[in-house]
Amino acid sequence: TVESAPTSTSLTVSRRTTTYGNENDEALIAKVGEPSAGTTLVSGSVKLVSGTEVVCIATLNQGIGMCKLTQAQLAIGRHSIVAQYAGTSSLIASSSGAASVLVDKALTTSALSLSDGVATFGREQHVKFSARVDVPPGMSQAPGTVVVTSGSKRLCVIDLVHGKGSCSLGASELSAGRYSISARYQGSNKLQVSLARKRALTITKPSASHK
């Protein structure tokens, strides 16, 4: 009687943590060996499974196969992935231990611009703060809000539409002086918080004729 030979399957991941929308940077590498023969030259394919979902299929070449996740394939959170070798008429099926992959919120990039870098105290309403929040290619444009501040003082809040928006400075909100203006995207259930590069704003004293 010739019995089927046992196999052993292992799985490694290129990154234990990735970000939503960039999962295609994650490589899953499966290895299938035939210990009784002292060789890893096993052909065929391996399914990479998370729960009940087949996330990708790796074709084996000399016992090793690699596949990548697709963009936004896995939900945000921690996932347990297992490699499953189905076996053949002469090789017994085997599965790897679980490899853990954490999918974090997608990275964002925020930008802030000012319509004017100088304003006169009491007449600052013409200064408009415009913000843009960029997300990874292929993802929906950023929802939510951007908060514009100077130090600990909140100046205005921008409601984003298609990843963009603006708000205006109120009259007499800032006394005469030079200020560093910050903008912070508040994030969402899929997007990380991000800070825009600071911008300078100068408030001048009104001239004597306007006092």
Side-chain angles (χ1 to χ4, degrees):
T1 301
V2 179
E3 297 181 348
S4 296
T7 62
S8 64
T9 298
S10 62
L11 173 65
T12 57
V13 296
S14 60
R15 298 182 181 184
R16 293 189 179 276
T17 301
T18 186
T19 52
Y20 186 78
N22 287 324
E23 298 96 320
N24 49 339
D25 291 335
E26 178 76 67
L28 307 176
I29 303 169
K31 183 177 182 181
V32 181
E34 186 185 347
S36 61
T39 178
T40 59
L41 302 181
V42 175
S43 60
S45 62
V46 177
K47 289 182 180 179
L48 288 302
V49 179
S50 175
T52 59
E53 178 188 0
V54 177
V55 296
C56 63
I57 297 176
T59 300
L60 296 171
N61 180 15
Q62 295 187 345
I64 299 175
M66 186 272 287
C67 63
K68 289 191 173 185
L69 302 176
T70 58
Q71 185 184 42
Q73 182 175 6
L74 298 177
I76 292 168
R78 190 170 295 279
H79 300 267
S80 182
I81 300 177
V82 175
Q84 297 177 344
Y85 175 63
T88 66
S89 58
S90 59
L91 296 173
I92 299 173
S94 60
S95 296
S96 70
S100 178
V101 174
L102 175 63
V103 180
D104 201 355
K105 291 183 178 182
L107 298 173
T108 62
T109 303
S110 296
L112 173 68
S113 62
L114 278 62
S115 60
D116 199 336
V118 180
T120 303
F121 178 77
R123 296 191 298 279
E124 304 96 323
Q125 301 96 318
H126 73 280
V127 177
K128 184 170 71 172
F129 305 115
S130 298
R132 185 187 76 250
V133 179
D134 294 326
V135 299
M139 290 191 63
S140 299
Q141 293 168 317
T145 59
V146 172
V147 177
V148 180
T149 59
S150 177
S152 60
K153 183 178 179 62
R154 177 180 290 199
L155 301 178
C156 61
V157 177
I158 298 172
D159 292 315
L160 295 175
V161 178
H162 303 306
K164 300 178 181 179
S166 62
C167 62
S168 297
L169 186 63
S172 305
E173 275 197 87
L174 298 172
S175 57
R178 184 174 173 83
Y179 297 89
S180 180
I181 308 300
S182 301
R184 182 179 189 268
Y185 174 55
Q186 301 297 87
S188 71
N189 62 337
K190 291 184 178 180
L191 299 174
Q192 293 187 29
V193 170
S194 59
L195 297 173
R197 185 166 67 88
K198 293 182 179 181
R199 300 293 181 179
L201 174 64
T202 299
I203 306 296
T204 61
K205 294 179 179 180
S207 63
S209 61
H210 288 91
K211 291 184 179 180

